[in-house]
């Protein structure tokens, strides 16, 4: 089992102690994200004049918005990834087909070269016979 980590972080000007099994740098990253989000909301007109509960709800909504946008983006990327994998599989299949055709073509070329060589030999033989008769 992983070791439990405990770190002190600063969120909304308050020092808090976080405890969890995630690495300390990850916990700090999460705390920084929440703090940055809070500061982002603080810059909005009227946010600082809202009551604490409303501020918390708006902060939660902003974080949820980021989450759902990231999740949606991930889903799009997963679809694109699957499409690319299908395209790669098709290209691999095309390569196999082309390699088979190339092998067949090389075989045909070799056969034609043998025919040309045999034909050239026959022409030489016929020319020799013709010279003997003349």
């Amino acid at each position: 089992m992983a070791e439990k980590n405990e770190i002190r972080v600063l969120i909304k000007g308050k020092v808090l102690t976080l405890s969890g099994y995630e690495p300390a740098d990850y916990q700090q990253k999460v705390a920084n994200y929440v703090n940055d989000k809070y500061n982002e909301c603080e810059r909005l007109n009227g946010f600082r004049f809202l009551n604490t509960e409303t501020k918390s709800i708006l902060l939660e909504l902003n974080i949820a918005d980021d989450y759902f946008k990231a999740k949606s983006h991930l889903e799009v990327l997963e679809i694109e990834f699957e499409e690319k994998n299908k395209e790669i599989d098709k290209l691999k299949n095309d390569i196999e087909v082309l390699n088979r055709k190339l092998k067949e073509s090389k075989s045909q070329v070799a056969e034609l070269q043998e025919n040309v060589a045999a034909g050239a030999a026959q022409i030489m033989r016929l020319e020799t016979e013709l010279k003997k008769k003349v």
Side-chain angles (χ1 to χ4, degrees), residues 4-5 8 11 15 20 23 27 32 52-53 57 66 71-73 79-80 93 100 105-107 127 130-131:
K4 196 168 190 178
N5 295 305
R8 295 169 58 89
I11 298 178
V15 177
Q27 291 182 42
N32 289 344
T52 305
E53 182 181 3
I57 290 170
D66 287 351
K71 185 177 177 186
S72 176
H73 184 67
I79 290 168
E80 288 176 6
N93 187 52
R100 280 194 299 273
S105 295
K106 284 181 178 180
S107 177
E127 284 177 347
L130 185 61
K131 285 181 185 178

Side-chain angles (χ1 to χ4, degrees), residues 33-62:
Y33 173 79
V34 171
N35 195 54
D36 290 345
K37 210 46 151 157
Y38 178 78
N39 290 333
E40 183 182 312
C41 288
E42 276 287 316
R43 289 190 293 275
L44 298 173
N45 289 336
F47 184 81
R48 65 182 67 112
F49 302 111
L50 299 173
N51 65 47
T52 305
E53 182 181 3
T54 303
K55 284 182 179 182
S56 292
I57 290 170
L58 289 176
L59 180 63
E60 292 163 1
L61 286 170
N62 273 273

Side-chain angles (χ1 to χ4, degrees), residues 80-91:
E80 288 176 6
F81 179 77
E82 286 301 316
E83 289 172 357
K84 295 295 181 191
N85 273 340
K86 287 178 185 175
E87 187 177 334
I88 287 170
D89 289 343
K90 183 189 177 310
L91 291 171

